[in-house]
């Protein structure tokens, strides 16, 4: 990465991945570094950062052997830790600032580390398995470098990485947002799922269906659903969107317009970090990076003439039809699956097929596509039409007078006020909501370690500086966060407003009675 010394000196974020089992002998310390951003920091400075992180991990284990270190707050920096795999640590170091935009939740930052690791495992398998396969670590470093840099590219604003802050407080990473459908539409969707299963001819095949950026149906486990749904929002949605999708809520959108079949631009598209930090062909290890699969590289998926998405994540030229079908690992079964995505208007159908089921490689994939087109395309068209008729638009889940976030941790689902409505909140309200969520995170953390079997029941109400009410209720694995800017002066009025919301939209889950 070709950062200038000036850029490195003013870099407000450091991100490293290291293996505590490596580099334990004098002169081999660099061996423990698997990824470091910014990559052009002197090795002595990288080792200093990792040495400090390793020391903090070791020190905190003295007092809490069973609980991994999660965060260390220093005067000038926040050090956020995540033990992604045994002895493989991911550490994010962010500089504190007097700027209001620098207010963040630690759990939201840890969510970034969890998400990038989950997505990496989906495409490449575990880091430890790659290290066991190739002990020198060269391959895993190449994969991590390209993957994480492409991931960070989505947070790039200008030449600065902007991490989630208080403005994202009414969003929840690591969850899916479901589309509410009528009984009749649900029956049509189930009929489509069964038809797809018959087309694929194997009980080991899976499907995931989205309308716009909302989940309609899945046959995957909750964890695999979250991973594939997240990837679909990050990289598959722009293939049918002519602009930033209003429901791509995980982070800022980078969708670009395209015309079906005109996909030559894919071969030459580069990421923002490529352009601002230099070519990525010059890898920190000194090796060529051309043969590395880059599933998170922007603008590498497009819709072909038959409706199936084609990709250039291996660097081949899609318009010359030399692409290969990508594959992912399922977390629950540890199976490797081909991923096929078909799009019709606002409907995306993702099919997962075991590699062992396809005997003839790309020729076998073409036969599967033909089966789907011949037997399921009419049903796909019908389902898309029915869902479109019942779709109320981007503000479908807006509730007048409320700005809210509803999280079901047991099902890994969430629902929130539309982003456009959240932007109407004042800065004071959003900052207060962020601090409220931070307090809830701390209480949940204490309960987790003090009594893991106890489900926390919690209610917190805060009156913000602008007189808005900010409320949190946690009960039976569900969480509700709400901002009421136009509520009455009394707490009783605000509490009554929450009760009405709970009874009408949450089946009374958060009612105090």
């Amino acid at each position: 990465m070709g950062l200038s010394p000036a850029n490195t000196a003013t870099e407000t974020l450091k991100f490293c991945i290291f293996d505590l089992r490596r580099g334990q002998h004098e002169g081999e310390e660099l061996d423990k570094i698997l990824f470091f951003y910014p990559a052009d920091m002197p090795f002595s400075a990288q080792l200093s950062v990792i040495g400090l992180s390793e020391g903090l991990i070791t020190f905190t284990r003295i007092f809490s052997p069973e609980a991994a270190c999660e965060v260390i707050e220093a005067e000038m920096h926040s050090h956020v830790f995540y033990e992604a795999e045994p002895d493989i640590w991911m550490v994010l170091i962010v500089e504190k600032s007097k700027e209001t935009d620098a207010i963040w939740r630690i759990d939201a930052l840890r969510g970034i580390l969890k998400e990038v690791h989950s997505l990496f495992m989906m495409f490449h398998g575990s880091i430890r398995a790659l290290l066991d396969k190739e002990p020198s670590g060269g391959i895993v470093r190449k994969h991590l470098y390209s993957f994480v840099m492409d991931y960070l590219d989505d947070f790039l604003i200008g030449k600065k990485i902007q991490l989630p802050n208080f403005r994202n407080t009414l969003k929840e990473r690591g969850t899916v947002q479901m589309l509410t459908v009528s009984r009749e539409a649900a029956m049509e969707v189930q009929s489509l799922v069964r038809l797809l299963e018959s087309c694929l001819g194997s009980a080991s095949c899976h499907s995931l269906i989205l309308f716009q950026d909302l989940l309609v149906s899945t046959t995957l486990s909750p964890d695999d659903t979250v991973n594939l749904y997240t990837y679909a929002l990050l990289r598959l949605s722009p293939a049918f969107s002519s602009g930033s999708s209003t429901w791509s809520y995980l982070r800022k959108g980078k969708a670009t317009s395209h015309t079906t079949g005109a996909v030559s631009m894919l071969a030459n598209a580069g990421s923002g970090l490529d352009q601002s930090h230099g070519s990525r062909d010059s890898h920190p290890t000194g090796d060529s990076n051309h043969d590395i699969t880059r599933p998170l590289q922007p603008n590498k998926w497009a819709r072909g003439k038959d409706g199936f998405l084609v990709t250039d994540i291996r660097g081949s030229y899609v318009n010359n039809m030399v692409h290969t079908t990508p594959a992912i690992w399922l977390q629950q079964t540890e199976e490797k699956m081909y991923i096929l995505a078909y799009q019709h208007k606002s409907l995306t159908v993702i099919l997962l097929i075991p590699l062992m089921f396809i005997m003839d490689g790309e020729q076998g994939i073409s036969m599967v596509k033909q089966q789907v087109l011949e037997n399921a395309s009419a049903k796909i068209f019908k389902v898309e039409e029915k869902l479109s008729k019942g779709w109320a638009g981007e503000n479908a889940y807006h509730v007048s007078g409320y700005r809210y976030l509803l999280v079901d941790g047991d099902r890994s689902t969430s629902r929130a006020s539309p982003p456009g409505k959240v932007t109407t909140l004042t800065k004071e309200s959003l900052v207060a909501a962020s601090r409220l969520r931070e307090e809830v995170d701390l209480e949940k953390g204490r309960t987790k370690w003090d009594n893991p079997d106890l489900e926390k029941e919690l209610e917190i109400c805060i009156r913000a500086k602008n007189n808005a009410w900010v409320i949190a209720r946690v009960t039976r694995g569900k969480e509700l966060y709400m901002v009421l800017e136009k509520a009455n002066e009394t707490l009783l009025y605000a509490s009554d407003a929450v009760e009405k919301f709970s009874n009408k939209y949450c089946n009374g889950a958060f009612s105090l009675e």
Side-chain angles (χ1 to χ4, degrees):
M1 197 169 82
L3 284 171
S4 67
N7 284 340
T8 302
T10 59
E11 188 62 59
T12 60
L13 177 144
K14 297 180 180 67
F15 185 178
C16 57
I17 303 173
F18 56 92
D19 182 4
L20 290 180
R21 300 180 189 177
R22 303 169 68 88
Q24 296 302 311
H25 302 290
E26 186 176 353
E28 299 177 357
E29 291 84 359
L30 285 175
D31 196 37
K32 69 179 61 178
I33 304 176
L34 302 179
F35 171 84
F36 198 98
Y37 174 85
D40 71 338
M41 269 187 82
F43 286 132
S44 58
Q46 294 186 28
L47 288 174
S48 177
V49 170
I50 290 178
L52 175 61
S53 299
E54 188 173 357
L56 292 172
I57 292 167
T58 303
F59 179 73
T60 54
R61 277 178 172 169
I62 297 174
F63 303 97
S64 183
E66 302 301 323
C69 178
E70 294 185 354
V71 60
I72 296 292
E73 294 286 4
E75 182 179 359
M76 300 299 296
H77 296 86
S78 294
H79 300 247
V80 184
F81 297 82
Y82 175 53
E83 188 174 15
E85 300 173 29
D87 290 327
I88 293 179
W89 286 81
M90 307 175 77
V91 180
L92 190 64
I93 303 173
V94 289
E95 183 180 344
K96 294 180 179 179
S97 170
K98 294 181 180 180
E99 297 178 9
T100 309
D101 285 0
I103 297 173
W104 51 70
R105 287 174 44 238
I106 296 302
D107 265 28
L109 297 183
R110 292 190 82 239
I112 292 174
L113 302 180
K114 292 178 181 179
E115 183 174 271
V116 70
H117 178 254
S118 294
L119 291 175
F120 182 86
M121 284 197 40
M122 184 171 74
F123 283 98
H124 299 295
S126 74
I127 296 174
R128 180 63 65 198
L130 289 172
L131 288 171
D132 290 342
K133 183 177 180 180
E134 201 263 324
S136 72
I139 292 178
V140 73
R141 288 188 182 95
K142 286 183 179 181
H143 284 307
L144 282 171
Y145 181 78
S146 295
F147 195 90
V148 178
M149 292 299 289
D150 286 337
Y151 179 87
L152 291 177
D153 185 70
D154 282 8
F155 298 99
L156 193 65
I157 299 178
K159 293 186 177 182
K160 182 179 180 181
I161 291 178
Q162 180 68 62
L163 294 177
N165 56 28
F166 70 94
R167 300 185 188 279
N168 309 100
T169 194
L170 293 183
K171 301 176 184 178
E172 186 68 7
R173 192 176 299 274
T175 61
V176 301
Q177 291 206 25
M178 301 287 297
L179 176 70
T180 302
V181 299
S182 66
R183 176 180 174 83
E184 183 182 359
M187 293 176 65
E188 289 288 351
V189 171
Q190 287 303 310
S191 175
L192 172 59
V193 171
R194 290 192 294 269
L195 182 57
L196 291 171
E197 289 175 349
S198 65
C199 289
L200 299 177
S202 172
S204 299
C205 298
H206 294 279
S207 66
L208 184 141
I209 302 174
L210 295 91
F211 180 81
Q212 301 283 359
D213 283 355
L214 301 175
L215 182 67
V216 177
S217 170
T218 179
T219 62
L220 293 166
S221 69
D223 287 340
D224 287 319
T225 295
V226 169
N227 290 339
L228 190 54
Y229 173 83
T230 300
Y231 183 71
L233 262 60
L234 295 180
R235 293 297 178 261
L236 301 185
S237 292
F240 66 81
S241 175
S242 60
S244 297
S245 173
T246 54
W247 282 96
S248 290
Y249 65 95
L250 290 177
R251 63 187 68 167
K252 70 183 183 71
K254 285 207 171 188
T256 56
S257 62
H258 75 93
T259 55
T260 303
V263 294
S264 60
M265 53 120 179
L266 299 182
N268 302 311
S271 70
L273 282 177
D274 276 339
Q275 296 163 5
S276 63
H277 289 163
S279 173
R280 206 170 303 164
D281 294 341
S282 179
H283 190 272
T285 63
D287 298 324
S288 172
N289 213 24
H290 286 295
D291 297 329
I292 296 298
T293 300
R294 294 173 60 182
L296 287 183
Q297 190 176 15
N299 306 324
K300 289 297 180 179
W301 287 86
R303 186 167 52 195
K305 293 181 179 179
D306 59 359
F308 280 94
L309 300 190
V310 291
T311 183
D312 187 34
I313 62 175
R314 285 188 177 273
S316 56
Y317 289 85
V318 177
N319 54 317
N320 289 335
M321 302 307 292
V322 294
H323 64 278
T324 57
T325 302
I328 64 172
W329 290 95
L330 292 184
Q331 183 172 322
Q332 184 180 50
T333 62
E334 297 185 350
E335 289 181 281
K336 197 166 189 180
M337 317 282 282
Y338 284 117
I339 175 173
L340 300 178
Y342 177 86
Q343 289 178 345
H344 173 65
K345 296 183 178 178
S346 297
L347 193 72
T348 303
V349 178
I350 301 176
L351 306 175
L352 299 180
I353 307 168
L355 262 65
M356 65 179 66
F357 183 68
I358 304 295
M359 306 303 294
D360 302 321
E362 292 303 316
Q363 183 177 355
I365 291 292
S366 296
M367 293 176 62
V368 171
K369 290 181 178 180
Q370 191 62 35
Q371 281 280 96
V372 172
L373 291 172
E374 291 177 357
N375 299 299
S377 58
K379 176 65 74 172
I380 291 173
F381 296 166
K382 184 176 181 180
V383 168
E384 197 282 334
E385 182 181 11
K386 189 169 289 292
L387 294 179
S388 293
K389 287 181 178 179
W391 173 236
E394 62 183 35
N395 291 326
Y397 300 121
H398 170 58
V399 180
S400 181
Y402 295 86
R403 301 295 183 268
Y404 69 93
L405 169 65
L406 176 63
V407 180
D408 188 335
D410 295 334
R411 298 174 58 203
S412 298
T413 61
S414 67
R415 177 161 293 171
S417 293
K421 297 297 182 180
V422 174
T423 58
T424 65
L425 292 175
T426 64
K427 184 179 296 185
E428 291 81 1
S429 296
L430 289 170
V431 169
S434 179
R435 288 172 175 162
L436 175 67
R437 291 205 63 186
E438 187 77 41
E439 184 63 31
V440 172
D441 293 339
L442 291 173
E443 286 296 325
K444 287 163 55 182
R446 293 187 189 105
T447 302
K448 176 183 176 182
W449 299 117
D450 293 342
N451 191 344
D453 298 324
L454 177 66
E455 287 191 351
K456 186 73 174 179
E457 302 282 332
L458 182 67
E459 180 182 20
I460 303 176
C461 300
I462 294 177
R463 194 70 184 268
K465 291 181 180 180
N466 63 338
N467 289 326
W469 286 103
V470 184
I471 302 168
R473 288 188 183 180
V474 179
T475 178
R476 297 185 293 275
K478 297 180 174 63
E479 303 171 31
L480 175 64
Y481 302 95
M482 188 171 291
V483 179
L484 303 171
E485 282 195 332
K486 298 181 180 180
N488 192 280
E489 290 293 320
T490 66
L491 176 60
L492 180 62
Y493 180 93
S495 180
D496 184 57
V498 177
E499 288 289 316
K500 290 179 180 179
F501 183 93
S502 173
N503 292 331
K504 187 171 183 178
Y505 301 103
C506 309
N507 297 318
F510 299 94
S511 297
L512 298 179
E513 298 177 356

